[in-house]
Amino acid sequence: MPYRLWKVRFLCTDPACKHTLSSGGLHRRVRQVLDIDRFYNLVTETLICSKCRRSYLSWNREILEQLDMAHRSEFRVILTRRYACDIRVIRLLRERGLGNGPVRLIGQLKENHSEEWLKRVACYTRACAGFISKGCLLTPTFEEPPKPVALPSYKWLSVVYSQDILYRLEDIKASITSTYGSILKLDSTRKITKKLSGPAKGTAQWLTSVGNEMGQVLISVLTAGEGPGLDLMAGGLVDRYEAAGVDPPVALYVDCGCCKEVGETKLKARFSGWPNLIVRLDIWHFMRRLAVGCTTDAHQLYPTFMARMSACIFEWDAADLNKLREAKRAQLTGHGWTALTEKQLDRQITKEELELHCRRRTRG
């Protein structure tokens, strides 16, 4: 009830009216809201425009959008036609990972609701037992405790999760479009488009992504082809840098189309807004081109060959490597490992620890 409790003034959403709304009392409909361990009831107030006689409910989106951020965050419910869901339930779905989906969440909610219902039934029977122990002329009778409310399906949770994404769409766009970089990497894949299903199946052939030197994704687009289909994406990236006043990137690494004997490549023309951009073949595809002339991926020595080639091209930063060795030696000394040689110490450093703590560069 933002009008009654917070004294917020709202305007009619009709462009021809824009008159101040007034309170019309509480609305007669009460919504049941799904929470983590129970259902609770939600009521709202009716707002009426005295000029055009239009009425609004305070939980409607056109009213919520007129609230400031602090008051808007107080309303934490996502409404659908039949059910309503607390935002705390949907937050459990935002961290999507292996096994974390609507089906698992419904099972967890059933367990939470069952435990809360049993606790309330125990409190109810304890209160009833107090009346019986007092001793009365007439034996008191008690109503059965209410049955637990059935939970909605996992499909409904997916719908609510989609609505939550749509509500945060502008924030998501802002966070994505505020990501930049000085060294970019452009790559395309068919693996993602093969997973499209329903009406979207067969509508795209390539997923093209552009990342920066920090591993952050600047943009991802679905296209029917790698060539002219990327013109809008390239133009959008150039405009984004110019609008934000950010210096253009220095280098762009690609998997093909980086070299041409005469004139500029199509990729260089596509990013013509960055005339000083250096387009190069990235190291991984450079290694793959060398490996194609030697053997196939199925050969037993292929992984060994690629590992040795990677060791010839890349080197670990010496300062980072020394710090990692010192930390590893201190850790092993605490576990009783003493008098370790450099070779023995290097054997205890895993590949994951190297990638996590040390930078890597090309030898030149």
Side-chain angles (χ1 to χ4, degrees):
M1 293 183 284
Y3 182 89
R4 186 183 297 266
L5 296 181
W6 299 329
K7 309 302 180 183
V8 179
R9 293 295 176 259
F10 299 97
L11 299 178
C12 180
T13 58
D14 188 356
C17 182
K18 293 296 182 181
H19 193 263
T20 304
L21 302 179
S22 58
S23 178
L26 294 179
H27 188 60
R28 62 182 180 180
R29 186 181 182 186
V30 179
R31 301 294 299 268
Q32 263 193 334
V33 183
L34 172 66
D35 203 352
I36 293 179
D37 58 354
R38 69 187 70 189
F39 282 89
Y40 64 84
N41 295 325
L42 175 69
V43 297
T44 188
E45 59 184 343
T46 305
L47 301 176
I48 301 176
C49 178
S50 58
K51 184 177 180 180
C52 63
R53 308 305 302 174
R54 294 185 62 179
S55 61
Y56 303 88
L57 297 181
S58 294
W59 59 38
N60 289 352
R61 189 166 184 180
E62 56 265 24
I63 297 298
L64 295 175
E65 289 178 349
Q66 297 186 35
L67 293 172
D68 58 87
M69 186 179 296
H71 286 118
R72 177 65 181 87
S73 61
E74 293 292 332
F75 185 78
R76 59 184 195 183
V77 179
I78 299 177
L79 301 173
T80 60
R81 184 180 62 85
R82 183 178 178 185
Y83 297 104
C85 185
D86 195 285
I87 194 63
R88 295 194 299 174
V89 177
I90 301 303
R91 284 173 184 161
L92 300 177
L93 285 175
R94 291 181 182 176
E95 195 68 30
R96 297 303 298 273
L98 184 62
N100 183 27
V103 178
R104 185 206 62 82
L105 182 57
I106 282 293
Q108 184 65 45
L109 291 177
K110 287 181 179 179
E111 182 177 350
N112 295 346
H113 280 238
S114 298
E115 291 181 359
E116 182 65 22
W117 181 78
L118 289 174
K119 186 181 74 173
R120 294 189 174 194
V121 169
C123 294
Y124 177 72
T125 53
R126 182 187 61 190
C128 295
F131 284 96
I132 296 176
S133 62
K134 289 181 180 180
C136 302
L137 295 177
L138 298 177
T139 303
T141 58
F142 307 98
E143 294 184 4
E144 290 291 330
K147 300 295 182 182
V149 182
L151 295 177
S153 64
Y154 70 92
K155 295 182 179 179
W156 176 80
L157 270 183
S158 300
V159 173
V160 178
Y161 178 65
S162 302
Q163 288 193 18
D164 175 57
I165 295 176
L166 292 177
Y167 291 156
R168 298 183 292 113
L169 190 58
E170 296 301 323
D171 296 335
I172 295 174
K173 286 181 179 179
S175 63
I176 293 175
T177 55
S178 60
T179 304
Y180 304 94
S182 59
I183 300 176
L184 304 184
K185 166 72 181 300
L186 187 146
D187 197 10
S188 300
T189 179
R190 290 177 181 264
K191 296 180 180 179
I192 303 299
T193 56
K194 292 179 180 179
K195 298 182 180 181
L196 296 176
S197 60
K201 185 177 182 180
T203 58
Q205 294 295 326
W206 293 92
L207 172 69
T208 303
S209 301
V210 178
N212 60 11
E213 64 272 20
M214 305 299 294
Q216 299 170 321
V217 177
L218 274 69
I219 189 172
S220 292
V221 294
L222 289 167
T223 59
E226 279 193 292
L230 301 179
D231 291 341
L232 290 177
M233 183 201 72
L237 276 177
V238 174
D239 294 341
R240 184 197 300 182
Y241 274 75
E242 291 180 355
V246 179
D247 294 334
V250 178
L252 174 67
Y253 287 94
V254 294
D255 57 353
C256 62
C258 55
C259 305
K260 190 177 181 182
E261 292 183 359
V262 181
E264 63 179 12
T265 62
K266 294 181 180 179
L267 193 60
K268 183 72 173 178
R270 190 166 289 127
F271 289 93
S272 58
W274 296 331
N276 298 325
L277 181 68
I278 301 173
V279 181
R280 290 286 183 268
L281 180 68
D282 70 87
I283 297 293
W284 170 245
H285 288 90
F286 169 73
M287 294 167 56
R288 290 293 298 270
R289 292 188 183 189
L290 290 179
V292 166
C294 300
T295 182
T296 63
D297 298 3
H299 197 278
Q300 294 180 351
L301 294 178
Y302 179 80
T304 305
F305 175 74
M306 295 296 288
R308 296 294 178 87
M309 190 187 303
S310 177
C312 293
I313 296 174
F314 293 102
E315 65 177 355
W316 296 106
D317 185 80
D320 293 347
L321 190 58
N322 289 334
K323 291 181 179 179
L324 178 60
R325 285 171 176 166
E326 293 175 3
K328 193 67 176 180
R329 185 182 294 276
Q331 181 185 15
L332 294 176
T333 303
H335 289 84
W337 294 51
T338 58
L340 286 173
T341 63
E342 291 294 332
K343 186 176 293 186
Q344 292 174 339
L345 182 63
D346 290 342
R347 289 176 182 174
Q348 300 299 323
I349 299 177
T350 63
K351 181 181 177 181
E352 290 75 15
E353 291 174 338
L354 278 172
E355 294 177 350
L356 181 62
H357 301 291
C358 300
R359 292 168 292 182
R360 195 170 58 162
R361 63 185 181 185
T362 56
R363 296 183 183 273

